[in-house]
Amino acid sequence: CSVAPVVAKVPAVSTGKASKSSAMQVWNPTNNKFFETFSFLPPLSDQEIARQVQYLINNGWAPCIEFEGAGKAYCDTHGWSGLDSSINAGYYDNRYWVMWKLPMYGCTSPDEVLAEVRACTRAFPDCFIRVAGFDNIKQVQCSSFLAHRPANDRTFQPVSGRQVGDSPSGGGGGGGGGGW
């Protein structure tokens, strides 16, 4: 009969942040929708969009601009499929938006993408517009971010309404970024 070796307990490493539980807040799910990466931030400036596009280009990903109206841009139900997406990681209805032209294969400058985002915004000002980075070797989307939110969109909370609970500064603020 062999006995399993005894493994010494290693003390847990603490960052000390758990002791500040009074600073923690709860996300408010009512009218608090987020899209893609960075959508919790205030609207990105052209310079910030250009930096993100440069990241896509530096990784060899083709920028692709997509747009969709508010009715299909965000999915909060299982949609027409009836599929229980809680057991299918990565599945959600309305994930495919309308493509603005073709992916920008061979794009070497963020200015090219910014010009297309502006053109798409002029053509469809009431639509959400996102920029995706597409890896043509792996045939997958690797990154995406919201580049335009319609002026009349009210599907989000300003920072002060994004979370509930007590905060050190008082009220239910927090959440990082502005009211986008």
Side-chain angles (χ1 to χ4, degrees), residues 131-162:
V131 177
F134 183 74
D135 185 328
N136 65 332
I137 304 299
K138 296 178 183 173
Q139 298 289 301
V140 295
Q141 177 181 306
C142 297
S143 178
S144 67
F145 60 93
L146 199 62
H148 172 77
R149 187 185 288 269
N152 63 355
D153 176 52
R154 297 294 172 251
T155 60
F156 67 98
Q157 290 283 339
V159 173
S160 62
R162 288 188 181 171

mmCIF file of all heavy atoms in Angstrom, residues 131-162:
data_model
loop_
_atom_site.group_PDB
_atom_site.id
_atom_site.type_symbol
_atom_site.label_atom_id
_atom_site.label_comp_id
_atom_site.label_asym_id
_atom_site.label_seq_id
_atom_site.Cartn_x
_atom_site.Cartn_y
_atom_site.Cartn_z
ATOM 1 N N VAL A 131 -15.307 48.413 -36.252
ATOM 2 C CA VAL A 131 -14.155 48.021 -37.052
ATOM 3 C C VAL A 131 -13.686 46.684 -36.499
ATOM 4 O O VAL A 131 -13.471 46.546 -35.289
ATOM 5 C CB VAL A 131 -13.023 49.064 -36.967
ATOM 6 C CG1 VAL A 131 -11.801 48.598 -37.744
ATOM 7 C CG2 VAL A 131 -13.498 50.423 -37.470
ATOM 8 N N ALA A 132 -13.550 45.722 -37.369
ATOM 9 C CA ALA A 132 -13.081 44.390 -36.972
ATOM 10 C C ALA A 132 -11.729 44.127 -37.619
ATOM 11 O O ALA A 132 -11.430 44.665 -38.684
ATOM 12 C CB ALA A 132 -14.086 43.326 -37.398
ATOM 13 N N GLY A 133 -10.933 43.315 -36.961
ATOM 14 C CA GLY A 133 -9.660 42.866 -37.518
ATOM 15 C C GLY A 133 -9.796 41.412 -37.915
ATOM 16 O O GLY A 133 -10.090 40.556 -37.076
ATOM 17 N N PHE A 134 -9.606 41.117 -39.188
ATOM 18 C CA PHE A 134 -9.831 39.781 -39.724
ATOM 19 C C PHE A 134 -8.508 39.134 -40.112
ATOM 20 O O PHE A 134 -7.720 39.707 -40.862
ATOM 21 C CB PHE A 134 -10.748 39.869 -40.947
ATOM 22 C CG PHE A 134 -11.096 38.549 -41.544
ATOM 23 C CD1 PHE A 134 -12.002 37.702 -40.925
ATOM 24 C CD2 PHE A 134 -10.511 38.132 -42.724
ATOM 25 C CE1 PHE A 134 -12.327 36.473 -41.478
ATOM 26 C CE2 PHE A 134 -10.830 36.910 -43.298
ATOM 27 C CZ PHE A 134 -11.737 36.083 -42.662
ATOM 28 N N ASP A 135 -8.257 37.954 -39.584
ATOM 29 C CA ASP A 135 -7.052 37.199 -39.922
ATOM 30 C C ASP A 135 -7.389 36.309 -41.114
ATOM 31 O O ASP A 135 -8.127 35.340 -40.996
ATOM 32 C CB ASP A 135 -6.615 36.343 -38.729
ATOM 33 C CG ASP A 135 -5.297 35.619 -38.962
ATOM 34 O OD1 ASP A 135 -5.001 35.253 -40.124
ATOM 35 O OD2 ASP A 135 -4.573 35.407 -37.980
ATOM 36 N N ASN A 136 -6.834 36.654 -42.293
ATOM 37 C CA ASN A 136 -7.192 35.911 -43.495
ATOM 38 C C ASN A 136 -6.510 34.544 -43.575
ATOM 39 O O ASN A 136 -6.891 33.729 -44.393
ATOM 40 C CB ASN A 136 -6.891 36.736 -44.748
ATOM 41 C CG ASN A 136 -5.406 36.990 -44.934
ATOM 42 O OD1 ASN A 136 -4.657 37.037 -43.970
ATOM 43 N ND2 ASN A 136 -4.995 37.179 -46.163
ATOM 44 N N ILE A 137 -5.535 34.275 -42.733
ATOM 45 C CA ILE A 137 -4.897 32.959 -42.705
ATOM 46 C C ILE A 137 -5.734 31.992 -41.865
ATOM 47 O O ILE A 137 -6.080 30.905 -42.299
ATOM 48 C CB ILE A 137 -3.455 33.041 -42.141
ATOM 49 C CG1 ILE A 137 -2.613 34.044 -42.938
ATOM 50 C CG2 ILE A 137 -2.807 31.662 -42.100
ATOM 51 C CD1 ILE A 137 -2.448 33.722 -44.407
ATOM 52 N N LYS A 138 -6.065 32.420 -40.658
ATOM 53 C CA LYS A 138 -6.855 31.583 -39.754
ATOM 54 C C LYS A 138 -8.352 31.646 -40.063
ATOM 55 O O LYS A 138 -9.129 30.866 -39.530
ATOM 56 C CB LYS A 138 -6.615 32.001 -38.307
ATOM 57 C CG LYS A 138 -5.187 31.782 -37.855
ATOM 58 C CD LYS A 138 -4.987 32.252 -36.425
ATOM 59 C CE LYS A 138 -3.548 32.093 -35.998
ATOM 60 N NZ LYS A 138 -3.301 32.689 -34.679
ATOM 61 N N GLN A 139 -8.756 32.616 -40.883
ATOM 62 C CA GLN A 139 -10.159 32.797 -41.260
ATOM 63 C C GLN A 139 -11.049 33.095 -40.061
ATOM 64 O O GLN A 139 -12.145 32.540 -39.933
ATOM 65 C CB GLN A 139 -10.681 31.575 -42.025
ATOM 66 C CG GLN A 139 -9.957 31.309 -43.324
ATOM 67 C CD GLN A 139 -10.277 32.345 -44.388
ATOM 68 O OE1 GLN A 139 -11.424 32.518 -44.747
ATOM 69 N NE2 GLN A 139 -9.265 33.048 -44.866
ATOM 70 N N VAL A 140 -10.561 33.981 -39.185
ATOM 71 C CA VAL A 140 -11.337 34.354 -38.005
ATOM 72 C C VAL A 140 -11.224 35.855 -37.749
ATOM 73 O O VAL A 140 -10.256 36.498 -38.151
ATOM 74 C CB VAL A 140 -10.862 33.602 -36.733
ATOM 75 C CG1 VAL A 140 -11.111 32.121 -36.845
ATOM 76 C CG2 VAL A 140 -9.411 33.890 -36.422
ATOM 77 N N GLN A 141 -12.221 36.354 -37.048
ATOM 78 C CA GLN A 141 -12.162 37.728 -36.566
ATOM 79 C C GLN A 141 -11.378 37.712 -35.265
ATOM 80 O O GLN A 141 -11.688 36.948 -34.360
ATOM 81 C CB GLN A 141 -13.574 38.258 -36.322
ATOM 82 C CG GLN A 141 -13.608 39.656 -35.748
ATOM 83 C CD GLN A 141 -15.019 40.128 -35.493
ATOM 84 O OE1 GLN A 141 -15.856 40.103 -36.382
ATOM 85 N NE2 GLN A 141 -15.292 40.555 -34.280
ATOM 86 N N CYS A 142 -10.360 38.539 -35.174
ATOM 87 C CA CYS A 142 -9.496 38.539 -33.994
ATOM 88 C C CYS A 142 -9.785 39.686 -33.037
ATOM 89 O O CYS A 142 -9.446 39.600 -31.860
ATOM 90 C CB CYS A 142 -8.036 38.611 -34.424
ATOM 91 S SG CYS A 142 -7.526 37.186 -35.387
ATOM 92 N N SER A 143 -10.360 40.731 -33.524
ATOM 93 C CA SER A 143 -10.602 41.899 -32.692
ATOM 94 C C SER A 143 -11.703 42.726 -33.328
ATOM 95 O O SER A 143 -11.916 42.669 -34.539
ATOM 96 C CB SER A 143 -9.322 42.732 -32.596
ATOM 97 O OG SER A 143 -9.536 43.897 -31.835
ATOM 98 N N SER A 144 -12.412 43.480 -32.521
ATOM 99 C CA SER A 144 -13.360 44.451 -33.057
ATOM 100 C C SER A 144 -13.656 45.484 -31.990
ATOM 101 O O SER A 144 -13.499 45.228 -30.804
ATOM 102 C CB SER A 144 -14.642 43.776 -33.535
ATOM 103 O OG SER A 144 -15.350 43.231 -32.456
ATOM 104 N N PHE A 145 -14.052 46.653 -32.455
ATOM 105 C CA PHE A 145 -14.399 47.712 -31.515
ATOM 106 C C PHE A 145 -15.419 48.635 -32.168
ATOM 107 O O PHE A 145 -15.499 48.746 -33.389
ATOM 108 C CB PHE A 145 -13.164 48.497 -31.058
ATOM 109 C CG PHE A 145 -12.413 49.185 -32.168
ATOM 110 C CD1 PHE A 145 -12.691 50.497 -32.508
ATOM 111 C CD2 PHE A 145 -11.433 48.512 -32.866
ATOM 112 C CE1 PHE A 145 -12.004 51.121 -33.527
ATOM 113 C CE2 PHE A 145 -10.728 49.128 -33.887
ATOM 114 C CZ PHE A 145 -11.019 50.444 -34.224
ATOM 115 N N LEU A 146 -16.217 49.272 -31.332
ATOM 116 C CA LEU A 146 -17.246 50.184 -31.799
ATOM 117 C C LEU A 146 -16.596 51.509 -32.171
ATOM 118 O O LEU A 146 -15.869 52.105 -31.370
ATOM 119 C CB LEU A 146 -18.282 50.387 -30.697
ATOM 120 C CG LEU A 146 -19.634 50.937 -31.092
ATOM 121 C CD1 LEU A 146 -20.340 49.999 -32.056
ATOM 122 C CD2 LEU A 146 -20.494 51.132 -29.858
ATOM 123 N N ALA A 147 -16.851 51.961 -33.406
ATOM 124 C CA ALA A 147 -16.275 53.216 -33.878
ATOM 125 C C ALA A 147 -17.312 54.335 -33.935
ATOM 126 O O ALA A 147 -16.956 55.502 -33.994
ATOM 127 C CB ALA A 147 -15.656 53.016 -35.259
ATOM 128 N N HIS A 148 -18.606 53.976 -33.930
ATOM 129 C CA HIS A 148 -19.671 54.986 -33.984
ATOM 130 C C HIS A 148 -20.919 54.447 -33.314
ATOM 131 O O HIS A 148 -21.323 53.313 -33.551
ATOM 132 C CB HIS A 148 -19.989 55.340 -35.444
ATOM 133 C CG HIS A 148 -21.188 56.221 -35.600
ATOM 134 N ND1 HIS A 148 -21.154 57.570 -35.341
ATOM 135 C CD2 HIS A 148 -22.461 55.941 -35.992
ATOM 136 C CE1 HIS A 148 -22.360 58.088 -35.562
ATOM 137 N NE2 HIS A 148 -23.160 57.121 -35.955
ATOM 138 N N ARG A 149 -21.493 55.271 -32.465
ATOM 139 C CA ARG A 149 -22.779 54.973 -31.837
ATOM 140 C C ARG A 149 -23.731 56.077 -32.275
ATOM 141 O O ARG A 149 -23.372 57.252 -32.203
ATOM 142 C CB ARG A 149 -22.630 54.976 -30.311
ATOM 143 C CG ARG A 149 -23.864 54.522 -29.573
ATOM 144 C CD ARG A 149 -23.707 54.664 -28.060
ATOM 145 N NE ARG A 149 -22.808 53.712 -27.471
ATOM 146 C CZ ARG A 149 -23.165 52.515 -26.994
ATOM 147 N NH1 ARG A 149 -24.414 52.137 -27.069
ATOM 148 N NH2 ARG A 149 -22.287 51.720 -26.447
ATOM 149 N N PRO A 150 -24.942 55.745 -32.754
ATOM 150 C CA PRO A 150 -25.864 56.785 -33.225
ATOM 151 C C PRO A 150 -26.154 57.828 -32.149
ATOM 152 O O PRO A 150 -26.222 57.505 -30.958
ATOM 153 C CB PRO A 150 -27.138 56.016 -33.574
ATOM 154 C CG PRO A 150 -26.760 54.586 -33.631
ATOM 155 C CD PRO A 150 -25.526 54.420 -32.816
ATOM 156 N N ALA A 151 -26.328 59.055 -32.580
ATOM 157 C CA ALA A 151 -26.598 60.150 -31.641
ATOM 158 C C ALA A 151 -27.881 59.920 -30.855
ATOM 159 O O ALA A 151 -27.989 60.333 -29.702
ATOM 160 C CB ALA A 151 -26.670 61.483 -32.397
ATOM 161 N N ASN A 152 -28.859 59.247 -31.460
ATOM 162 C CA ASN A 152 -30.143 59.024 -30.788
ATOM 163 C C ASN A 152 -30.177 57.742 -29.953
ATOM 164 O O ASN A 152 -31.219 57.374 -29.441
ATOM 165 C CB ASN A 152 -31.275 59.015 -31.815
ATOM 166 C CG ASN A 152 -31.139 57.880 -32.818
ATOM 167 O OD1 ASN A 152 -30.152 57.145 -32.820
ATOM 168 N ND2 ASN A 152 -32.140 57.743 -33.688
ATOM 169 N N ASP A 153 -29.050 57.075 -29.810
ATOM 170 C CA ASP A 153 -29.018 55.814 -29.059
ATOM 171 C C ASP A 153 -29.139 56.070 -27.565
ATOM 172 O O ASP A 153 -28.418 56.886 -27.009
ATOM 173 C CB ASP A 153 -27.716 55.067 -29.341
ATOM 174 C CG ASP A 153 -27.612 53.809 -28.503
ATOM 175 O OD1 ASP A 153 -28.572 53.011 -28.534
ATOM 176 O OD2 ASP A 153 -26.591 53.630 -27.828
ATOM 177 N N ARG A 154 -30.051 55.355 -26.935
ATOM 178 C CA ARG A 154 -30.240 55.463 -25.482
ATOM 179 C C ARG A 154 -30.196 54.082 -24.831
ATOM 180 O O ARG A 154 -30.831 53.842 -23.826
ATOM 181 C CB ARG A 154 -31.556 56.160 -25.167
ATOM 182 C CG ARG A 154 -31.618 57.591 -25.652
ATOM 183 C CD ARG A 154 -30.607 58.476 -24.895
ATOM 184 N NE ARG A 154 -30.529 59.794 -25.474
ATOM 185 C CZ ARG A 154 -29.481 60.251 -26.170
ATOM 186 N NH1 ARG A 154 -28.446 59.496 -26.387
ATOM 187 N NH2 ARG A 154 -29.475 61.472 -26.656
ATOM 188 N N THR A 155 -29.416 53.167 -25.406
ATOM 189 C CA THR A 155 -29.348 51.804 -24.875
ATOM 190 C C THR A 155 -28.187 51.629 -23.921
ATOM 191 O O THR A 155 -27.723 50.532 -23.697
ATOM 192 C CB THR A 155 -29.204 50.786 -26.018
ATOM 193 O OG1 THR A 155 -28.007 51.077 -26.739
ATOM 194 C CG2 THR A 155 -30.406 50.808 -26.934
ATOM 195 N N PHE A 156 -27.711 52.718 -23.379
ATOM 196 C CA PHE A 156 -26.582 52.645 -22.463
ATOM 197 C C PHE A 156 -26.848 53.581 -21.304
ATOM 198 O O PHE A 156 -27.735 54.421 -21.357
ATOM 199 C CB PHE A 156 -25.293 53.045 -23.178
ATOM 200 C CG PHE A 156 -25.270 54.495 -23.589
ATOM 201 C CD1 PHE A 156 -24.624 55.441 -22.828
ATOM 202 C CD2 PHE A 156 -25.945 54.908 -24.719
ATOM 203 C CE1 PHE A 156 -24.628 56.776 -23.188
ATOM 204 C CE2 PHE A 156 -25.967 56.236 -25.091
ATOM 205 C CZ PHE A 156 -25.309 57.177 -24.326
ATOM 206 N N GLN A 157 -26.086 53.426 -20.266
ATOM 207 C CA GLN A 157 -26.178 54.286 -19.098
ATOM 208 C C GLN A 157 -24.983 55.222 -19.059
ATOM 209 O O GLN A 157 -23.872 54.821 -19.398
ATOM 210 C CB GLN A 157 -26.157 53.452 -17.815
ATOM 211 C CG GLN A 157 -27.393 52.640 -17.571
ATOM 212 C CD GLN A 157 -28.531 53.488 -17.056
ATOM 213 O OE1 GLN A 157 -28.341 54.567 -16.524
ATOM 214 N NE2 GLN A 157 -29.731 52.992 -17.227
ATOM 215 N N PRO A 158 -25.179 56.452 -18.617
ATOM 216 C CA PRO A 158 -24.001 57.278 -18.348
ATOM 217 C C PRO A 158 -23.233 56.639 -17.190
ATOM 218 O O PRO A 158 -23.769 55.784 -16.477
ATOM 219 C CB PRO A 158 -24.578 58.632 -17.963
ATOM 220 C CG PRO A 158 -26.001 58.373 -17.606
ATOM 221 C CD PRO A 158 -26.421 57.130 -18.334
ATOM 222 N N VAL A 159 -22.016 57.041 -16.997
ATOM 223 C CA VAL A 159 -21.184 56.439 -15.956
ATOM 224 C C VAL A 159 -21.914 56.399 -14.625
ATOM 225 O O VAL A 159 -21.878 55.408 -13.912
ATOM 226 C CB VAL A 159 -19.851 57.201 -15.814
ATOM 227 C CG1 VAL A 159 -19.067 56.692 -14.627
ATOM 228 C CG2 VAL A 159 -19.042 57.060 -17.077
ATOM 229 N N SER A 160 -22.609 57.464 -14.292
ATOM 230 C CA SER A 160 -23.272 57.531 -12.984
ATOM 231 C C SER A 160 -24.380 56.495 -12.828
ATOM 232 O O SER A 160 -24.801 56.229 -11.714
ATOM 233 C CB SER A 160 -23.837 58.929 -12.758
ATOM 234 O OG SER A 160 -24.804 59.212 -13.753
ATOM 235 N N GLY A 161 -24.857 55.895 -13.912
ATOM 236 C CA GLY A 161 -25.929 54.914 -13.799
ATOM 237 C C GLY A 161 -25.521 53.503 -14.150
ATOM 238 O O GLY A 161 -26.358 52.619 -14.205
ATOM 239 N N ARG A 162 -24.243 53.275 -14.386
ATOM 240 C CA ARG A 162 -23.804 51.946 -14.823
ATOM 241 C C ARG A 162 -23.748 50.933 -13.705
ATOM 242 O O ARG A 162 -23.843 49.754 -13.937
ATOM 243 C CB ARG A 162 -22.422 52.035 -15.458
ATOM 244 C CG ARG A 162 -22.481 52.698 -16.790
ATOM 245 C CD ARG A 162 -21.167 52.597 -17.454
ATOM 246 N NE ARG A 162 -21.250 53.282 -18.736
ATOM 247 C CZ ARG A 162 -20.222 53.522 -19.478
ATOM 248 N NH1 ARG A 162 -19.033 53.139 -19.092
ATOM 249 N NH2 ARG A 162 -20.350 54.145 -20.612
#
